[in-house]
Amino acid sequence: MKKIIFGVLLVSLIGCKEDPPFPALNPPTPSIVNAAYVLNEGNFGDPAGARLSLYDIDRDTVYKDVYESANSGQHLGSTGDDLKLYNGKAYVLMSGSENIVVINLSDHSLVRSATYGGDAPHDMLIDSVRNKIYVTRLYKNSVLVLDLSTLTIMDSIGVGTNPQGMALSGNKLFVCNSGYGSDRTVTVIDADADTVKRTLTLADGPTSASITADGKLWVACTGNSFGTPATFGKVFIINPQTESIEDSISFLENIWGSITAATDGFVYLIGVTPSSFYGGPVHRINIASKTVTSNFITGTFYALAYHTVSERIYAADAMDFSSDGVVRIYTNAGVLVKTFHAQKGPGVIAFR
Amino acid sequence: MYYQISWLDPSFHFEGWGFLLQTMIRVINTVIHIITALLIFFSDDVYCQSSQSVTGFITDKETGLPVAGALVTTSEYPNDDARSDSTGQFLIYAEHHSFILVVSHPEYIGLSLRFDVLSDTLLLIPLERQFILKEITVTALRLPQVTSMIPSSVTVIPRERIEQSNYSSLANVVAPLAGVFVKDYGSMSGLKTISQRGLGTEHTLILLNGMRVSSQQNGLIDLGLLPSDQIESVEVVRGGQSASYGADAVAGVINIITRAPSHQYVSASNSLGSFGYRRFQVVGDIGSDKNGARVSYGEERSAEDFPFHFHNGSFVSDLSRINADVIARFGSLQGSVPIAEHTHVDGLIWLYGSERGVGGPVLSPFSASLARETDREHLLQMVFSSEPSETFRFSFHSQARYSFQRYRDPDLNIAGVALDTEFKNVDFQLEPQAEFTIGNSSRLAVGVEIGRTIAEGSSIRSDIKRTQTGVFTVGEIAMLEGSGIISRLVAFPAFRYDAIASMPGSWSPQIGMLLSFNEFNTGYVEKMKIGIRASLSRNFRAPTFNELYYTGGGGYGNPSLKPERSISFDAGVDLSFSMLGEHSLQTSYFLINMADRIVWVAAAAGSVTPKNLHNIRSEGMEASYRWSLFANVLSVEANYTLVESKNTSPGDPNEKKQLIYIPQEILNLSLVTTKHFESSIIQQISGTVTQSFTGYRYMSEDNAVFLPSYHITDVGLRAKVTIGEFAMFTKLEANNLFNEDYQVIIGYPMPLRSYRFTIGVEY
């Protein structure tokens, strides 16, 4: 009633502009076997910001709002921060709304969801052997242990400050304690007992970790450009068996992270572009020789993934986070072959 | 409102006799009132029925000067009227001893008075000038001037209008004004900041009694922290004013005038409302605004656990707001002492403290922030002013201010430490200013503003001390007067130089022009007045301490930042006329071009830092209209704002996109009715209905997603009754009457319908 009354006044006085129409829901995304899923963070603070995009590799087609279109417009949550595909399902973690949503990959319908209020979940790792999910709690200096089937909390393990990335080797879980550049440690957890075995000291800002084909653990440390003194990024090669540092590679700049062990004999990671928004170029390290190819792919990337089947590198540029980001596909020789638009803040890429 | 009658004058002055004697007299007066009323009620026919003369003097209530031309009639002989002469005197005859006298004047609030006279009687009738926006003097400019003689778009909200506003903070007083958008982070405890003319909060300079109170720490001032009970009036000057006030006056200036002692009284009020809202306040006034004091204390608290809807696509969850409680205490002492003829000293002590939960954005049905914030604001102002002659005035403003804020979030643990930050600012200001009148109608003001701020805190570099000095001159030059249809053509040149520590000096010139025409009548339209104004200025904003020196989690300040620069132009037409009441219309076009806008961007992994990056172009129009009917018993107010505030940075991916959270359109409508009665019981009844429409706001820089527009309706009813020397007032508010489910900022739900009830007594 009030809108009618007010509408008459509006029209008679001025005629204010109508709101733009809300975008209609996309038709449901079909089940696509050879696909790249992109989790987009969304606008910071937007309760409905996290969005899932899908790139059909064979048909060169992009689908957006994959979850919304299959679930009557329901949203994933706020700030999509991690995505894992396992056993026909996608596990999607939102750090803002502090929830995990499990989606059936066949039709993208909701399987299960759980919320961890106050836990600040950030990264997750699926331990299929022990049927668990490990989730780092960014501001709680601990790791949650969840039941993979039910998403219920089984345990919580104290680690270093502001834990982020994790890697699993056998029954050892390695947790990067970033401290936003002020922590220097990796916590080693016994995955059978879910207890801390020891803490390794590396360099400022351990953020991401990956296991190479030869079974070695590679950890990227961001460095701390605002520390006293300022430090640059560093990559450590660790023997998971002995839990000892075997080698390290120093950079003369900071590292963003997203270290990714590929099957082509290289490790890829993202650097930092000075004076840019988040992210940087893709650097490449030869696993055997430890030689670094800086700026292997130039640009300012926020997410990185290696598609083993096609041996192609997927690098996401979040732009300024205020417009839809793009994903660029390169051959492992660094040649750009394809660019597609994802959604706002593409931060994680996973392949089915 | 007290209308004085000579033979029962309750405010008869006994200066020097002491408060006790005055109280006794008031009590005796009250008894006489009651006895007289009883006599009249029971013995109306005992009086003789002979005709008698009634002589009276009509004066301006504020100035005491006689009011000529007032029409006076009686209920007995409505066609047998009289008019007050140049001395304000009138003579009328009454047949009966009991009659109603009706007084009207086009420029004053009319009234009806019931009299019971025993013999020939002399009446003293003070009239209150009508509330007419365009003729209120604005002190927010270096040269005080009435609104119709200012080259910028100006609105003044007087005390009467503030009392008619719902809620209890300054945010709700200024929100319905043209060109203003209040960014409300939901609930009473949520941050409320102002956006003017499509720019940010940090681009509007906030003054308290003419002295800057905008935070140098973060550029913000939370309008929700300023209780409207303490405010006499608010002056909103739109457009760049750096030539007068230096840094931060880019989009405009808001000057808050605190309440001075008005008359001797004591009052207490108590409010109750939805969501656990409680408020009480006590006020005591002694003396007058030129020689008196006013002391007040109040406390306000609310649980703010209001219900709201959380939307996830087509799924809606009904939730209650968590951790949004607030408790605030405030007190003030304001006084004025004459120390010589035409010379007086004014002082203000202002104390404020609050403790509140920071609910944070609601990102899921389970969002539950534990963050808390503590604020303290202590302020001391002293103003010496002297007017030794009609052509010279001197003032010396001084201010000492202490600000404290602590924010803590046990859920946010960075590098092993739960977030717990605080800052303290101690700020001193001195502002000597001299004003000269040159010739008949030109004026000049020259002055200096010296400020020294000392800041410390856990999130900024230690030992920050900033000194800023500004030298300014402001002129008003009458170029043409009384020539043909032109009433006045006035130029307003102004110039200021600011030297701020660690920054390059800033030159801020301004030129304003005002062309006003002689009043004329045409057909049914009478007293038509037209004024055309324009202003062009160069303005700047100084980087805040946070932007320069922040060292807390997640980001770092940039000491190399330059001030933001802008060119501001506005032009407008103001007109007023009489036709079935009084009408006033103010229209403005504005354009602000800003360079070197400071934006926080990523510097390294996980950290952000501010840089001078963006250019902004904000362009739009404002229109305000007021129609006052039946001698101000009923008024209709409407204003409309259209803003296009866009990123104009060349090559930026969001070039030519509207800035986020700047609505393109805002429309406000108000219906205000105020009826004064000269009754022994009911003195005043007023009602206000306000309807506001706020257009959609983009949430992302690429303008791909938006928050929908919303309509809000608020209703307020006030009544004031008197019983002897006591006055009792009540106020009933219904806010968001139609239960609009909306958010001003994404993630911060606004309350659905709520109510407040206030009752108070005055003695």
Side-chain angles (χ1 to χ4, degrees):
Chain A
M1 181 63 183
K2 55 158 182 169
K3 288 191 177 176
I4 295 171
I5 295 170
F6 195 67
V8 170
L9 288 169
L10 280 181
V11 171
S12 60
L13 284 172
I14 294 160
C16 290
K17 281 202 283 188
E18 290 287 325
D19 290 2
F22 284 103
L25 280 180
N26 297 330
T29 307
S31 176
I32 295 165
V33 176
N34 193 17
Y37 283 85
V38 181
L39 177 61
N40 306 275
E41 287 187 354
N43 280 325
F44 181 75
D46 182 353
R51 301 298 170 102
L52 194 60
S53 310
L54 185 153
Y55 175 61
D56 183 339
I57 296 172
D58 296 332
R59 297 171 188 81
D60 188 22
T61 305
V62 178
Y63 298 89
K64 297 183 179 180
D65 294 335
V66 170
Y67 181 74
E68 281 77 3
S69 61
N71 294 280
S72 307
Q74 189 173 355
H75 300 293
L76 289 164
S78 178
T79 317
D81 257 346
D82 205 359
L83 168 68
K84 295 287 187 288
L85 306 186
Y86 170 71
N87 197 24
K89 298 186 186 70
Y91 292 75
V92 190
L93 180 150
M94 271 60 62
S95 64
S97 47
E98 302 180 310
N99 60 325
I100 292 176
V101 175
V102 183
I103 303 168
N104 193 327
L105 290 180
S106 61
D107 60 0
H108 304 108
S109 61
L110 171 68
V111 175
R112 184 176 294 108
S113 71
T115 300
Y116 308 92
D119 282 330
H122 193 268
D123 286 65
M124 62 183 167
L125 183 143
I126 293 177
D127 180 353
S128 57
V129 174
R130 282 161 281 271
N131 200 45
K132 291 189 288 197
I133 304 177
Y134 291 97
V135 178
T136 51
R137 305 166 82 198
L138 185 62
Y139 300 119
K140 292 300 176 80
N141 304 338
S142 59
V143 173
L144 277 180
V145 186
L146 308 181
D147 183 294
L148 179 60
S149 305
T150 64
L151 301 183
T152 54
I153 298 173
M154 299 166 62
D155 204 348
S156 176
I157 310 162
V159 295
T161 60
N162 306 111
Q164 295 193 26
M166 292 174 286
L168 185 66
S169 176
N171 67 342
K172 293 177 183 174
L173 177 71
F174 295 85
V175 181
C176 297
N177 303 309
S178 73
Y180 283 113
S182 65
D183 204 328
R184 302 167 60 85
T185 62
V186 167
T187 303
V188 184
I189 292 173
D190 180 340
D192 292 323
D194 286 335
T195 56
V196 175
K197 285 189 69 180
R198 63 178 295 188
T199 300
L200 305 176
T201 300
L202 305 182
D204 289 346
T207 305
S208 59
S210 187
I211 306 286
T212 51
D214 59 2
K216 299 296 168 59
L217 173 70
W218 289 55
V219 177
C221 300
T222 60
N224 187 353
S225 59
F226 297 100
T228 308
T231 56
F232 294 132
K234 205 165 184 178
V235 171
F236 287 83
I237 298 104
I238 296 169
N239 185 329
Q241 305 302 321
T242 60
E243 299 165 11
S244 60
I245 298 170
E246 290 194 343
D247 206 348
S248 66
I249 301 160
S250 295
F251 286 73
L252 296 177
E253 61 184 49
N254 291 111
I255 288 174
W256 177 252
S258 297
I259 193 163
T260 304
T263 52
D264 59 354
F266 293 94
V267 163
Y268 298 87
L269 72 159
I270 297 176
V272 170
T273 301
S275 305
S276 78
F277 289 93
Y278 290 77
V282 175
H283 304 313
R284 184 167 85 165
I285 306 171
N286 186 305
I287 295 174
S289 65
K290 312 291 188 300
T291 53
V292 177
T293 306
S294 292
N295 299 307
F296 175 67
I297 300 172
T298 57
T300 303
F301 299 105
Y302 189 58
L304 181 66
Y306 187 82
H307 189 224
T308 305
V309 177
S310 63
E311 294 197 323
R312 286 183 172 173
I313 301 158
Y314 285 61
D317 183 346
M319 313 294 280
D320 55 1
F321 285 85
S322 58
S323 49
D324 284 351
V326 296
V327 176
R328 301 185 202 284
I329 306 171
Y330 299 87
T331 66
N332 61 1
V335 178
L336 178 66
V337 293
K338 171 71 184 174
T339 298
F340 67 86
H341 277 83
Q343 292 177 264
K344 283 193 179 57
V348 187
I349 302 167
F351 299 102
R352 184 185 183 192
Chain B
M1 192 177 303
Y2 295 91
Y3 296 108
Q4 300 168 10
I5 306 168
S6 62
W7 50 280
L8 281 176
D9 183 358
S11 59
F12 185 74
H13 289 288
F14 290 88
E15 288 182 353
W17 289 23
F19 180 75
L20 183 63
L21 187 57
Q22 288 193 41
T23 305
M24 290 173 60
I25 295 296
R26 286 170 185 269
V27 171
I28 293 168
N29 255 332
T30 305
V31 173
I32 293 172
H33 270 297
I34 294 169
I35 293 172
T36 307
L38 290 172
L39 282 172
I40 292 167
F41 184 78
F42 291 109
S43 312
D44 196 39
D45 58 350
V46 303
Y47 299 118
C48 63
Q49 300 291 313
S50 60
S51 173
Q52 56 216 312
S53 68
V54 178
T55 305
F57 286 93
I58 299 175
T59 58
D60 184 298
K61 186 181 180 186
E62 185 179 351
T63 64
L65 297 173
V67 174
L71 183 65
V72 183
T73 59
T74 66
S75 53
E76 294 173 307
Y77 306 109
N79 296 323
D80 187 11
D81 55 26
R83 282 191 183 271
S84 59
D85 61 19
S86 60
T87 66
Q89 185 176 8
F90 67 89
L91 173 65
I92 203 163
Y93 292 93
E95 191 69 30
H96 297 98
H97 299 288
S98 180
F99 62 93
I100 295 173
L101 195 72
V102 180
V103 183
S104 62
H105 189 285
E107 294 179 10
Y108 290 85
I109 297 172
L111 51 86
S112 301
L113 302 169
R114 181 179 182 84
F115 286 105
D116 299 287
V117 295
L118 302 175
S119 60
D120 290 352
T121 300
L122 177 67
L123 303 177
L124 296 180
I125 302 173
L127 288 185
E128 187 172 359
R129 188 172 281 273
Q130 280 194 43
F131 163 55
I132 300 174
L133 287 174
K134 60 185 182 299
E135 291 301 338
I136 293 174
T137 299
V138 179
T139 60
L141 303 163
R142 293 293 182 181
L143 286 170
Q145 184 57 277
V146 294
T147 54
S148 62
M149 289 301 297
I150 293 172
S152 301
S153 170
V154 173
T155 301
V156 178
I157 311 168
R159 179 67 208 161
E160 183 183 20
R161 194 69 182 85
I162 292 171
E163 288 177 352
Q164 290 164 343
S165 301
N166 283 12
Y167 298 103
S168 58
S169 77
L170 177 64
N172 305 99
V173 173
V174 300
L177 298 183
V180 170
F181 173 57
V182 172
K183 293 181 179 175
D184 193 331
Y185 287 75
S187 82
M188 208 176 99
S189 63
L191 183 68
K192 292 165 182 45
T193 62
I194 193 169
S195 164
Q196 264 194 302
R197 292 195 159 176
L199 296 181
T201 300
E202 64 279 15
H203 298 115
T204 294
L205 177 65
I206 308 291
L207 307 174
L208 186 72
N209 297 323
M211 301 197 74
R212 72 167 55 228
V213 290
S214 290
S215 169
Q216 295 201 51
Q217 183 73 37
N218 53 25
L220 306 178
I221 185 160
D222 186 353
L223 302 182
L225 301 184
L226 296 169
S228 59
D229 278 343
Q230 307 290 314
I231 299 168
E232 179 63 33
S233 63
V234 181
E235 301 169 346
V236 179
V237 183
R238 302 176 184 85
Q241 302 293 332
S242 286
S244 293
Y245 286 100
D248 311 335
V250 175
V253 171
I254 293 181
N255 187 26
I256 303 156
I257 311 293
T258 55
R259 293 184 72 181
S262 54
H263 58 275
Q264 298 197 34
Y265 82 110
V266 176
S267 80
S269 63
N270 193 39
S271 303
L272 301 172
S274 307
F275 323 127
Y277 179 77
R278 303 281 185 277
R279 177 188 174 90
F280 81 89
Q281 178 176 261
V282 290
V283 179
D285 271 23
I286 300 170
S288 67
D289 63 338
K290 298 298 180 191
N291 184 11
R294 180 177 197 271
V295 61
S296 69
Y297 174 79
E299 184 176 307
E300 187 172 35
R301 65 175 66 210
S302 182
E304 288 298 279
D305 51 351
F306 57 84
F308 66 96
H309 304 310
F310 179 82
H311 297 261
N312 184 356
S314 57
F315 299 90
V316 181
S317 307
D318 293 330
L319 305 175
S320 289
R321 196 72 166 112
I322 297 172
N323 192 38
D325 59 289
V326 59
I327 177 167
R329 297 184 177 88
F330 46 89
S332 68
L333 173 62
Q334 181 161 0
S336 182
V337 180
I339 56 175
E341 192 175 6
H342 306 301
T343 303
H344 59 98
V345 174
D346 299 295
L348 169 68
I349 298 172
W350 176 288
L351 306 171
Y352 178 90
S354 70
E355 173 72 30
R356 51 181 161 170
V358 182
V362 180
L363 301 176
S364 82
F366 302 93
S367 289
S369 164
L370 298 177
R372 308 289 300 178
E373 184 175 312
T374 305
D375 289 275
R376 301 271 183 274
E377 190 76 38
H378 302 161
L379 179 139
L380 170 65
Q381 283 186 345
M382 296 291 286
V383 181
F384 168 88
S385 53
S386 178
E387 197 167 352
S389 73
E390 291 185 354
T391 58
F392 177 67
R393 182 174 184 275
F394 177 77
S395 65
F396 192 101
H397 287 65
S398 58
Q399 176 176 283
R401 182 169 166 237
Y402 168 78
S403 305
F404 170 81
Q405 187 179 87
R406 181 183 176 202
Y407 179 88
R408 53 208 183 277
D409 187 350
D411 261 350
L412 197 58
N413 204 313
I414 295 174
V417 180
L419 185 69
D420 189 347
T421 65
E422 65 176 45
F423 71 77
K424 297 172 188 168
N425 284 183
V426 178
D427 181 83
F428 302 96
Q429 284 180 67
L430 300 174
E431 291 185 31
Q433 178 180 320
E435 296 170 31
F436 307 90
T437 300
I438 304 162
N440 289 331
S441 48
S442 294
R443 296 190 296 164
L444 178 71
V446 292
V448 179
E449 183 179 335
I450 302 166
R452 172 83 166 165
T453 304
I454 302 162
E456 59 181 68
S458 54
S459 298
I460 54 172
R461 201 186 72 195
S462 60
D463 69 359
I464 295 172
K465 296 181 176 65
R466 177 193 270 183
T467 301
Q468 58 185 69
T469 306
V471 182
F472 59 87
T473 177
V474 178
E476 178 183 319
I477 303 167
M479 302 174 70
L480 195 62
E481 283 196 278
S483 174
I485 61 169
I486 294 174
S487 169
R488 290 190 87 194
L489 175 62
V490 188
F492 297 86
F495 184 80
R496 175 164 169 144
Y497 177 76
D498 282 274
I500 302 177
S502 77
M503 279 177 231
S506 296
W507 301 89
S508 305
Q510 181 172 11
I511 180 70
M513 296 295 291
L514 178 75
L515 174 63
S516 60
F517 296 91
N518 288 320
E519 183 179 303
F520 62 94
N521 298 328
T522 168
Y524 294 105
V525 178
E526 296 181 332
K527 296 189 290 184
M528 172 73 87
K529 292 181 185 174
I530 300 176
I532 301 171
R533 54 182 161 71
S535 179
L536 178 66
S537 61
R538 184 172 189 262
N539 309 283
F540 74 103
R541 180 179 82 83
T544 63
F545 292 152
N546 279 354
E547 288 167 334
L548 291 167
Y549 309 120
Y550 184 74
T551 59
Y556 294 86
N558 177 4
S560 304
L561 285 175
K562 298 180 292 185
E564 296 175 344
R565 306 280 179 186
S566 71
I567 300 292
S568 172
F569 171 76
D570 65 60
V573 177
D574 301 339
L575 61 89
S576 62
F577 58 91
S578 296
M579 187 183 70
L580 298 175
E582 304 290 328
H583 304 256
S584 65
L585 176 65
Q586 186 181 60
T587 58
S588 298
Y589 162 82
F590 65 87
L591 173 63
I592 300 172
N593 268 319
M594 181 189 293
D596 294 329
R597 187 188 186 209
I598 297 170
V599 181
W600 288 77
V601 296
S607 293
V608 291
T609 194
K611 294 181 178 176
N612 293 100
L613 277 184
H614 285 168
N615 297 336
I616 300 294
R617 176 187 170 94
S618 185
E619 183 178 20
M621 61 85 68
E622 299 147 352
S624 300
Y625 169 71
R626 186 171 191 272
W627 181 15
S628 172
L629 290 147
F630 313 122
N632 214 41
V633 169
L634 180 66
S635 66
V636 178
E637 298 168 10
N639 63 65
Y640 173 74
T641 304
L642 177 67
V643 181
E644 285 196 343
S645 188
K646 297 189 173 178
N647 180 348
T648 52
S649 312
D652 190 281
N654 297 310
E655 187 179 357
K656 298 182 179 175
K657 300 291 186 183
Q658 178 86 351
L659 298 189
I660 60 171
Y661 294 118
I662 302 294
Q664 288 190 341
E665 291 181 298
I666 299 176
L667 177 64
N668 295 297
L669 294 173
S670 297
L671 188 66
V672 182
T673 177
T674 303
K675 178 67 178 170
H676 300 269
F677 300 92
E678 189 52 33
S679 155
S680 60
I681 301 294
I682 300 173
Q683 202 172 67
Q684 180 187 343
I685 293 177
S686 66
T688 309
V689 181
T690 60
Q691 168 84 44
S692 66
F693 165 82
T694 303
Y696 59 90
R697 287 89 56 225
Y698 289 113
M699 295 190 293
S700 63
E701 302 279 357
D702 65 348
N703 293 179
V705 287
F706 64 93
L707 274 172
S709 57
Y710 55 85
H711 305 253
I712 300 299
T713 305
D714 296 336
V715 178
L717 295 171
R718 293 184 88 247
K720 189 172 183 180
V721 300
T722 57
I723 304 170
E725 293 301 303
F726 289 92
M728 189 173 77
F729 56 92
T730 61
K731 184 177 182 182
L732 179 63
E733 301 172 26
N735 300 308
N736 192 2
L737 191 66
F738 295 101
N739 247 353
E740 181 86 339
D741 177 16
Y742 73 109
Q743 298 173 41
V744 181
I745 306 290
I746 185 70
Y748 293 88
M750 298 296 291
L752 302 174
R753 185 189 302 118
S754 65
Y755 303 96
R756 283 187 187 179
F757 176 71
T758 301
I759 187 166
V761 292
E762 284 182 10
Y763 174 76

